[in-house]
Amino acid sequence: MRKPSVAVVFIYALILTTLALLLKEPHRILPLVVFNASMSLIVGWRKVWWLYFLILVASIGIFTNALFFANTGGTVLDTGFFVVRENALKGFVTVTLRVMLIAGVGAFFVALFEPLEIIKGFTRELRMPASISLSLSYALRLLPLLRKDLEEIMFSRKQRGYRKRPLTPGELSSTLTGLLLAGFERALWSGVSLELRGFRDYKPARGISLNLYDVLIIAALIAQLIYATIM
């Protein structure tokens, strides 16, 4: 399936993140939140639903902070234990919506692309240095291998009569030392292999090719900027 360009979606997310920090009225932020959160859930709700759950949990801390530092103005709610005033409620709603907008555009970006697609897109479309993109790509590919190395080390410990999971500082040190040595040796020979293949002279293809999805995203961005400006 054809996807929009990484650069276009990244710039979309960056501009709306900046807009979230600039807008101060909740009624101007809310439609942007609804649109972008909906888009992220439509594109990849399995990847991002937990993010909105975390925001829901974090909103308790945001509300508490608003009560301590912005609880002024007319009384909105008086429970006898504490009083909620206008500015505290407005501050809580504004900050929560800002966080949700930033999370929404970030989740939309992450849901659209796999990590390696993002790295390749940054290199090809945003001209990230090839050495940085390779390092990031290698790190992502290395994670499953490190997990496999750790499982082998833990299995070896069990075969030698030790606890499978290290608990003491000495056991933890020996486990991490073995893991680091295995990772270092793999990285060393990967570097040697790249040099032998001429990576020093490697020049990745550059450029960006827009498609219909890019046009729609740009149109959505312009529409949201117009709304935020005139409303």
Side-chain angles (χ1 to χ4, degrees):
M1 178 181 176
R2 187 72 184 273
K3 295 182 179 181
S5 302
V6 172
V8 171
V9 184
F10 177 74
I11 293 172
Y12 173 89
L14 187 63
I15 292 176
L16 284 179
T17 297
T18 304
L19 189 62
L21 299 176
L22 295 176
L23 294 178
K24 298 180 180 179
E25 298 298 328
H27 71 274
R28 298 173 68 186
I29 308 175
L30 180 59
L32 307 184
V33 171
V34 173
F35 177 77
N36 288 284
S38 300
M39 289 297 295
S40 69
L41 292 172
I42 291 171
V43 171
W45 69 272
R46 291 184 178 180
K47 287 185 178 181
V48 303
W49 68 267
W50 58 270
L51 182 62
Y52 296 105
F53 176 75
L54 290 179
I55 294 174
L56 180 63
V57 175
S59 64
I60 299 173
I62 297 173
F63 181 69
T64 304
N65 184 74
L67 285 180
F68 274 101
F69 297 104
N71 201 17
T72 58
T75 301
V76 176
L77 177 66
D78 187 351
T79 65
F81 295 100
F82 62 88
V83 178
V84 179
R85 302 185 184 276
E86 291 178 356
N87 290 335
L89 182 61
K90 182 180 179 180
F92 162 68
V93 173
T94 301
V95 173
T96 302
L97 289 177
R98 282 176 173 171
V99 172
M100 288 192 67
L101 178 54
I102 294 171
V105 295
F108 177 62
F109 179 69
V110 171
L112 270 176
F113 306 105
E114 297 297 327
L116 289 178
E117 289 179 318
I118 295 174
I119 294 169
K120 291 179 181 178
F122 281 172
T123 303
R124 184 176 61 253
E125 300 166 9
L126 296 177
R127 297 183 177 275
M128 176 190 287
S131 57
I132 297 178
S133 63
L134 175 70
S135 300
L136 293 174
S137 177
Y138 181 78
L140 290 173
R141 293 178 183 273
L142 194 62
L143 290 176
L145 296 177
L146 287 176
R147 180 179 179 181
K148 183 179 179 181
D149 288 340
L150 180 60
E151 290 175 351
E152 291 179 354
I153 291 173
M154 293 169 67
F155 177 76
S156 176
R157 287 181 55 84
K158 185 177 180 181
Q159 292 298 105
R160 294 169 62 185
Y162 298 108
R163 281 190 292 261
K164 184 178 180 180
R165 292 179 175 79
L167 297 178
T168 66
E171 292 174 340
L172 184 61
S173 176
S174 64
T175 301
L176 292 178
T177 299
L179 190 63
L180 289 174
L181 288 175
F184 175 78
E185 184 175 359
R186 184 180 290 112
L188 174 64
W189 287 109
S190 296
V192 171
S193 175
L194 285 171
E195 285 299 315
L196 292 176
R197 295 182 182 184
F199 177 74
R200 189 182 300 273
D201 299 321
Y202 170 66
K203 294 181 180 180
R206 308 286 190 182
I208 180 172
S209 177
L210 300 181
N211 55 47
L212 177 61
Y213 296 108
D214 295 312
V215 174
L216 292 175
I217 290 174
I218 293 171
L221 175 60
I222 293 173
Q224 291 176 86
L225 289 174
I226 294 173
Y227 170 83
T229 302
I230 66 176
M231 292 300 291

